[in-house]
Amino acid sequence: MNEQSCFVYDSTSERPAKKRRIEHESKGLDSSLKLRKDLFQHAWDRQQANIEKIVRQANKKPLRQIERLVSASTPVHDTGRLNTGLLLTGPGSGQDDTFFKQIGETLEDKDAVAHALISGSECSNLKNFLKALIHKVTRQSLSGEDEDEIVDGWSNGRKLLGYDLQILHEFYKSRGLERVALIIPDSESLEVSLLAEIVSLLHSWRDRIKVDWILGIATSIDVFNSRLPRSTLKLMRQRSIMLSKSDDMLERLFRDHVSNVDSSMRLGPGLSELLLRRQAEHIKSVESFTQSVKYAYMSHYHGNPITVFLSNDIHPNTIDGEHFEAIRNLPSFRRHAESLLQRGHGKLVKEILDSDDVLYKEIQKHLEHSRDKITWCLGAATTIREVQVILQYKIPDSFSTLYILAMSGALTSSSLLRELFMHIKKAVPEAMSTIIPKVIDVLMRMPPEVVDVSPDDFGDLQEQLTKTRAEDDAQSGKKRNKAQISKKHAAYSQLATKLHDLLRTYFDKALCGYQQVFLHEILFYDLKAPHREAFMPRPRFAIERALSSPHDYLGCNCCAEAEGLSATQPATAVLYQLYLESGSLINAFDLWSAFQTIVGDRYESEQMTMALFFRALAELKCMGFVKPSKKRTDHVAKLAWKGL
């Protein structure tokens, strides 16, 4: 027993046959993938911070009202009624989820206030509502070392049921809480009788548990109150809280994205129109808009290798040569090279074609210049919007509409601009006195030496207008004949014509489509197909295509070579194509006979073929294409037609 066996390790033995897994270094366009991921993360973090800042600023007032409503430190005169905040979100509000999350974050900072966010789906009846309320208040208040603590459901030696408010009362006292904030975003989805029961029950417990609740309303206070009994309304002390409009919020978010000088890339006009139309017609949501913009950022950086040139911290020697070849094959690069040749810079064209270092310097130089041109274009769109407001248009065009027209190159020749010039020619002196300083302010913020438009020209016009108005005011108390009045009108008309000419020159030089900008392939993302597939999927179309042309998805040669029906295709695809050739009622035996004729030669056993037939028929039934017929037991009914 004193002796023990031992093993000797011989390090000189041969290496095992299994080789170590070695990751090969990426080459070509994939070599910049890690850097592009870092660029995407940096750009999106900055953009997301701007979005959160705008949303927080827009919701500052309603959040402050809610904070005052549930503030434990503010003395509240107890009138014997429940403090109720009616949050007017409006129909199709675009920031409900984001706003209610901000409510939770605001109330979490208060030690003496517990809150619970309960949706209408959790309130099918009073019992489920109370369970959700007790569970969320007790679990939300436990944090840190108390996360594993279990709330005791016992009182005076007896076990309490999960929906007994005594549990909440015991927890309320043990934690030293002063208030419980109850938030129901979709209160109008609750039954009126259930809402009345909740109000009555919470009011009866008010001497033990002080509950302040916030109800989201999509209609109006009058409509909401008309649904409730008077006895219930007497128990509620209502305060209205107005949420900012979703259209204004989305417009501000879009404008910040495209106008922010720190934006590394911008949405193109095609994708912008698609995104905004989806928000207007289908869903208005800040979260949905944010996800769409993030997906565009991700697609641009991950799918476009030349975005690596957006980094300012790289050396041309660290970039694979294929990235420079990709730049040389861009349409905007070809137009730029042709422009250089026309201006007599043939030597520079040869250098950027032969030398990667020279091309890198040219890219960095013109990226900044292209950004400045875009800034001028956006400034012109902003000026048009400001002028429309000053001229008191009934419905001024939104900045998003002007951006789409400007970036697509259609704004210069649009009827919108022609109508604007007509109004400017007829502008009164008061309107001109407001327009000119606005234009000067926009021009002063533009990058210099990009567009040949000077604010001094508008400054001289402002001086002439001021002088003319001063002379007119000096003669205002005197009687004037027709000649003097005509002279006054002619002077103002001449100034309006000069303002018209200056603005036309400014817009003609500043407005340009994004495709006219050198390296717009790096600065803009305008692909609509990936966005449609991600946010507007068409599952029925995809299923019908997969069953009609399975080789498009399988990628096999056997199905691609065969035209029409083939035994090599999946059984469900074969049966679906037979199904398309039939009428509204399909004889099951005829369908089986046709299926056996096509597939039967591939399998030796008829039982195997029949098993495939029944499985394919069951899959078609599961997908909603067929159902058993009540008229004829040996038939199946056709439920869907392709393309309808």
Side-chain angles (χ1 to χ4, degrees):
M1 297 298 293
N2 294 332
E3 296 180 359
Q4 294 182 355
S5 59
C6 64
F7 299 91
V8 178
Y9 173 70
D10 186 6
S11 60
T12 60
S13 60
E14 296 182 358
R15 293 180 60 185
K18 185 177 180 180
K19 296 182 179 180
R20 292 180 299 168
R21 184 177 179 180
I22 301 175
E23 295 184 1
H24 298 283
E25 184 178 356
S26 300
K27 296 182 179 180
L29 297 176
D30 293 336
S31 61
S32 63
L33 184 58
K34 185 178 183 303
L35 177 59
R36 284 185 279 125
K37 286 182 178 180
D38 296 338
L39 289 173
F40 156 72
Q41 197 61 48
H42 177 70
W44 177 247
D45 289 345
R46 188 167 50 191
Q47 183 65 33
Q48 190 174 28
N50 292 337
I51 292 174
E52 292 176 354
K53 180 181 178 181
I54 292 173
V55 174
R56 174 69 67 174
Q57 186 67 27
N59 293 335
K60 187 175 182 179
K61 183 178 179 180
L63 284 173
R64 191 179 300 158
Q65 292 176 330
I66 292 173
E67 190 175 4
R68 284 200 297 264
L69 179 69
V70 300
S71 178
S73 59
T74 304
V76 178
H77 300 289
D78 189 3
T79 60
R81 295 183 293 174
L82 292 174
N83 283 334
T84 306
L86 300 181
L87 184 62
L88 302 174
T89 60
S93 177
Q95 51 165 329
D96 287 354
D97 296 339
T98 306
F99 179 72
F100 287 113
K101 288 179 182 177
Q102 290 181 350
I103 293 177
E105 294 173 358
T106 302
L107 297 180
E108 280 179 359
D109 299 334
K110 297 185 174 297
D111 297 332
V113 178
H115 71 277
L117 178 63
I118 302 177
S119 62
S121 59
E122 298 176 282
C123 306
S124 56
N125 52 53
L126 183 61
K127 184 185 295 185
N128 290 338
F129 165 77
L130 293 174
K131 284 183 178 180
L133 173 62
I134 295 170
H135 176 78
K136 292 195 174 186
V137 170
T138 54
R139 292 301 183 269
Q140 175 258 329
S141 298
L142 297 175
S143 59
E145 299 178 355
D146 300 331
E147 286 182 353
D148 298 330
E149 181 180 335
I150 304 298
V151 178
D152 194 4
W154 294 81
S155 178
N156 297 328
R158 62 187 181 90
K159 182 167 179 61
L160 302 175
L161 297 175
Y163 52 86
D164 196 331
L165 281 179
Q166 185 64 33
I167 299 176
L168 183 60
H169 177 54
E170 297 292 340
F171 183 83
Y172 186 87
K173 292 192 301 181
S174 64
R175 293 285 169 172
L177 298 177
E178 298 182 18
R179 272 177 176 75
V180 174
L182 172 60
I183 308 163
I184 304 179
D186 48 352
S187 61
E188 290 178 312
S189 64
L190 302 181
E191 294 289 340
V192 176
S193 57
L194 175 60
L195 199 57
E197 289 179 357
I198 294 174
V199 172
S200 177
L201 181 62
L202 294 180
H203 183 269
S204 64
W205 280 80
R206 182 163 175 74
D207 57 336
R208 290 157 285 180
I209 305 174
K210 290 186 178 181
V211 178
D212 301 323
W213 62 342
I214 300 149
L215 305 178
I217 299 176
T219 54
S220 65
I221 295 178
D222 294 337
V223 174
F224 177 77
N225 289 338
S226 65
R227 298 172 61 235
L228 294 175
R230 289 186 178 181
S231 58
T232 302
L233 293 175
K234 291 180 180 180
L235 303 178
M236 302 167 63
R237 183 168 175 263
Q238 297 180 354
R239 297 181 185 177
S240 62
I241 302 173
M242 182 67 72
L243 197 60
S244 58
K245 295 181 179 179
S246 57
D247 292 339
D248 297 339
M249 174 67 71
L250 293 174
E251 185 71 17
R252 289 180 61 185
L253 292 175
F254 181 81
R255 181 166 186 165
D256 175 77
H257 164 67
V258 299
S259 301
N260 196 333
V261 293
D262 295 331
S263 295
S264 57
M265 57 82 67
R266 291 176 171 87
L267 300 179
L271 181 58
S272 299
E273 185 180 10
L274 176 68
L275 192 152
L276 293 172
R277 186 171 65 248
R278 175 173 175 262
Q279 291 287 328
E281 296 177 357
H282 299 284
I283 179 173
K284 291 183 180 179
S285 170
V286 171
E287 187 174 356
S288 174
F289 178 83
T290 304
Q291 290 174 352
S292 300
V293 176
K294 183 176 182 180
Y295 186 79
Y297 269 74
M298 183 176 64
S299 301
H300 188 57
Y301 281 98
H302 288 223
N304 190 356
I306 59 176
T307 53
V308 69
F309 292 104
L310 291 174
S311 175
N312 298 323
D313 302 329
I314 57 173
H315 193 272
N317 295 334
T318 61
I319 305 175
D320 192 273
E322 290 191 17
H323 293 80
F324 293 99
E325 290 301 320
I327 291 288
R328 294 185 179 104
N329 284 280
L330 295 177
S332 64
F333 178 84
R334 295 178 183 178
R335 288 194 297 269
H336 179 65
E338 292 173 358
S339 176
L340 290 176
L341 288 173
Q342 292 174 359
R343 287 180 288 166
H345 300 293
K347 183 179 179 181
L348 177 59
V349 173
K350 188 176 185 304
E351 289 178 348
I352 60 178
L353 288 174
D354 296 337
S355 173
D356 292 345
D357 293 338
V358 177
L359 178 59
Y360 178 78
K361 294 178 181 178
E362 189 77 0
I363 291 171
Q364 296 302 319
K365 171 186 173 183
H366 283 277
L367 275 177
E368 190 64 31
H369 184 265
S370 297
R371 289 193 183 99
D372 293 342
K373 288 185 68 176
I374 296 167
T375 303
W376 271 89
C377 186
L378 295 176
T382 303
T383 304
I384 293 173
R385 164 77 178 174
E386 296 285 353
V387 173
Q388 286 182 339
V389 173
I390 295 170
L391 294 177
Q392 298 180 354
Y393 271 41
K394 291 183 179 179
I395 305 178
D397 293 287
S398 62
F399 178 81
S400 57
T401 302
L402 295 172
Y403 172 82
I404 293 171
L405 289 173
M407 289 296 108
S408 61
L411 185 56
T412 307
S413 58
S414 65
S415 59
L416 181 153
L417 206 56
R418 290 196 297 270
E419 183 182 357
L420 181 69
F421 287 140
M422 289 176 59
H423 282 81
I424 291 174
K425 280 189 174 182
K426 301 176 183 179
V428 297
E430 292 77 9
M432 288 191 290
S433 300
T434 310
I435 290 173
I436 297 174
K438 289 284 186 181
V439 177
I440 294 175
D441 180 60
V442 173
L443 292 177
M444 292 297 291
R445 291 186 274 113
M446 293 296 104
E449 300 180 0
V450 177
V451 177
D452 186 18
V453 176
S454 173
D456 296 337
D457 297 335
F458 289 91
D460 295 340
L461 181 61
Q462 177 71 17
E463 292 179 1
Q464 296 177 24
L465 179 61
T466 304
K467 182 179 178 181
T468 305
R469 293 193 68 183
E471 294 175 355
D472 186 31
D473 293 339
Q475 300 292 330
S476 61
K478 302 177 182 179
K479 291 184 179 181
R480 287 179 285 186
N481 53 32
K482 291 183 178 180
Q484 291 174 329
I485 295 174
S486 299
K487 184 179 180 182
K488 181 190 73 170
H489 289 322
Y492 284 130
S493 179
Q494 185 178 3
L495 292 174
T497 302
K498 190 172 182 181
L499 175 62
H500 164 273
D501 296 339
L502 288 175
L503 286 176
R504 179 179 286 277
T505 303
Y506 167 37
F507 294 150
D508 288 342
K509 292 182 178 180
L511 292 173
C512 64
Y514 84 101
Q515 292 185 342
Q516 301 175 12
V517 177
F518 180 41
L519 298 176
H520 67 83
E521 295 89 349
I522 301 178
L523 299 173
F524 285 87
Y525 178 78
D526 199 31
L527 297 179
K528 294 184 283 187
H531 183 88
R532 282 199 189 101
E533 294 176 0
F535 294 94
M536 292 178 283
R538 296 184 293 171
R540 178 174 174 177
F541 171 78
I543 291 172
E544 289 178 347
R545 181 185 172 189
L547 294 175
S548 302
S549 306
H551 59 271
D552 291 348
Y553 291 86
L554 299 177
C556 54
N557 297 326
C558 56
C559 295
E561 294 175 356
E563 295 183 0
L565 290 170
S566 172
T568 59
Q569 294 179 352
T572 308
V574 173
L575 196 61
Y576 174 74
Q577 295 174 64
L578 294 172
Y579 156 89
L580 292 177
E581 300 174 0
S582 60
S584 58
L585 284 177
I586 309 172
N587 189 302
F589 180 77
D590 293 344
L591 194 62
W592 153 249
S593 301
F595 181 82
Q596 187 183 25
T597 303
I598 298 170
V599 183
D601 295 339
R602 190 179 180 187
Y603 302 98
E604 298 179 357
S605 172
E606 183 179 345
Q607 293 180 346
M608 182 64 180
T609 308
M610 185 170 287
L612 291 173
F613 171 77
F614 279 114
R615 187 180 70 177
L617 190 62
E619 289 178 352
L620 290 180
K621 179 183 176 184
C622 179
M623 288 185 286
F625 288 107
V626 296
K627 72 172 183 178
S629 175
K630 294 182 180 179
K631 296 180 180 179
R632 299 181 182 180
T633 56
D634 58 341
H635 284 61
V636 291
K638 191 174 183 179
L639 297 178
W641 280 258
K642 186 179 180 181
L644 297 179

